[in-house]
């Protein structure tokens, strides 16, 4: 990778990945009591919005993505002065205080940003608000295409505080409580093959997003990922990169080449991680061996990786004050925002 990361849109202030910014709302929450919560059928206020019908429940096929993002506002439940929720409205990136998570599962491959101000996606170099104002502390795209999240509802959003595990089947327009509403604020969240994992001061693992088991972990995770095949858990912690292949019952520390503050499964064997300075490391054999990229991209706040149909590793990350994509082992840095 031989291109410098651009400082876009006053990016150092826009999408700051500094420790101070992350600490503002990312300190690990205190453990909450174990509870096997039944699904909360009460919809969040945005459920009343005149959006397309919600997709199927978890385990079904994902809802069809619209060909293009609608432009305008949908009458709803998170008042912005007019009683509306911004959907498909371009927003100034400078209005985003910081980003908690990034994902590549948006319609048409759009990159999603889970931010302090709510969900947004990047389309043609613009940042598009998508849904109610929820401080999305944890965020993941489930294998069925639905979105999973946790955090704190904004003014006028009819969700509990904290939100627990919430789910959207309409690409983030509306959210309903799946479980642990009023109990859990998952600061790290991952979803993969038959497994959801979240950390709210304790590590909790679920097969359906409704009932949870609490398991031990060597150290609080800075990030959590669940392998898309096999369901292995991957946790970047202060005690190294930890791997569990038995649902969290046991953990092994992987010999990463440097301290990785974030890590993600790109597929069932490929791991991509980043150091605090934004240097990427890639393993194509589940952590047995690594290749280390030479360039430091700058302070990193969020990372997501996947393997394309032709086997190429694609990584998107918030680093150095911008949002970039890197394709291939030594691919050039492509600015997205």
């Amino acid at each position: 990778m031989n291109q410098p990361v651009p400082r876009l849109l006053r990016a150092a202030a826009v999408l700051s990945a500094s420790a101070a910014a992350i600490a503002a709302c990312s300190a690990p929450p205190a453990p909450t009591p174990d509870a096997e919560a039944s699904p909360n059928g009460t919809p969040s206020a945005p459920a009343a919005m005149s959006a397309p019908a919600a997709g199927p429940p978890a385990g079904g096929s994902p809802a069809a993505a619209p060909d293009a993002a609608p432009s305008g506002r949908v009458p709803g439940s998170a008042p912005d002065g007019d009683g509306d929720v911004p959907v498909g409205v371009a927003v100034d990136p400078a209005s985003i205080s910081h980003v908690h998570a990034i994902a590549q599962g948006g319609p048409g491959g759009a990159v999603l940003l889970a931010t302090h101000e709510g969900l947004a996606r990047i389309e043609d170099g613009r940042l598009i608000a998508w849904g109610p104002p929820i401080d999305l502390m944890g965020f993941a795209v489930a294998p069925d295409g639905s979105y999973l999240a946790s955090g704190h509802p904004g003014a006028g959003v009819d969700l509990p505080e904290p939100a627990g595990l919430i789910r959207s089947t309409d690409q983030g327009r509306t959210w309903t409580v799946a479980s642990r509403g009023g109990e859990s604020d998952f600061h790290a969240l991952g979803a993969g093959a038959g497994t959801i994992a979240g950390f709210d001061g304790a590590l909790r693992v679920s097969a359906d997003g409704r009932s949870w088991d609490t398991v031990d972990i060597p150290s609080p995770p800075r990030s959590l990922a669940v392998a898309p095949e096999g369901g292995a858990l991957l946790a970047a912690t202060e005690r190294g990169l930890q791997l569990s292949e038995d649902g969290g019952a046991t953990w092994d520390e992987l010999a990463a080449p440097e301290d990785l503050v974030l890590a993600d499964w790109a597929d069932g064997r490929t791991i991509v991680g980043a150091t605090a300075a934004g240097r990427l490391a890639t393993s194509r054999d589940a952590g047995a061996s690594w290749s280390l990229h030479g360039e430091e991209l700058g302070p990193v706040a969020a990372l997501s990786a996947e393997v394309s149909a032709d086997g190429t590793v694609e990584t998107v990350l918030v680093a150095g004050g911008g949002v970039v994509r890197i394709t291939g082992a030594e691919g050039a840095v492509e600015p997205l925002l």
Side-chain angles (χ1 to χ4, degrees), residues 34-215:
D34 292 333
E36 182 169 302
S38 60
N40 186 335
T42 304
S44 66
M49 297 191 298
S50 55
S61 300
D67 293 333
S71 177
R73 295 175 181 270
V74 187
S77 54
D80 62 354
D82 297 322
D84 296 337
V85 175
V87 174
V89 176
V91 296
D92 182 357
S95 67
I96 303 300
S97 57
H98 54 273
V99 178
H100 295 297
I102 189 169
Q104 303 181 73
V111 172
L112 304 170
L113 299 180
T115 82
H116 185 71
E117 287 71 27
L119 184 65
R121 58 200 201 194
I122 299 172
E123 297 179 358
D124 299 324
R126 299 184 305 155
L127 189 63
I128 308 296
W130 208 264
I134 305 171
D135 182 6
L136 297 171
M137 300 300 304
F139 181 83
V141 178
D144 68 352
S146 63
Y147 299 169
L148 301 173
S150 190
H152 310 280
V157 179
D158 186 16
L159 288 172
E161 170 58 49
L165 181 72
I166 54 177
R167 183 187 299 272
S168 174
T169 57
D170 55 11
Q171 298 153 358
R173 292 168 179 250
T174 66
W175 297 85
T176 56
V177 176
S179 62
R180 299 194 66 82
E183 297 180 277
S184 288
D185 173 17
F186 292 117
H187 282 210
L189 189 65
T195 302
I196 301 169
F199 185 78
D200 62 354
L203 181 59
R204 305 183 192 277
V205 178
S206 174
D208 57 10
R210 297 182 174 93
S211 61
W212 297 81
D213 294 321
T214 302
V215 297

Side-chain angles (χ1 to χ4, degrees), residues 5-6 14 21 41 56 61 64 118 127 158 197 219 224 252 265 296 318 322-323 327 333:
V5 178
V14 173
S61 300
L127 189 63
D158 186 16
S219 180
L224 275 174
D252 295 310
W265 291 103
E296 291 185 351
V318 180
V323 182
T327 302
V333 176

Side-chain angles (χ1 to χ4, degrees), residues 251-321:
W251 294 86
D252 295 310
E253 183 178 351
L254 298 179
E258 293 188 12
D259 180 32
L260 302 181
V261 297
L262 299 173
D264 191 24
W265 291 103
D267 63 13
R269 297 283 295 171
T270 305
I271 300 170
V272 179
T275 68
R279 195 178 187 193
L280 294 186
T282 302
S283 173
R284 299 303 298 257
D285 52 15
S289 62
W290 295 83
S291 60
L292 188 63
H293 304 259
E295 185 177 355
E296 291 185 351
L297 303 175
V300 60
L303 176 149
S304 175
E306 64 180 25
V307 174
S308 64
D310 65 2
T312 302
V313 179
E314 296 183 355
T315 305
V316 292
L317 63 162
V318 180

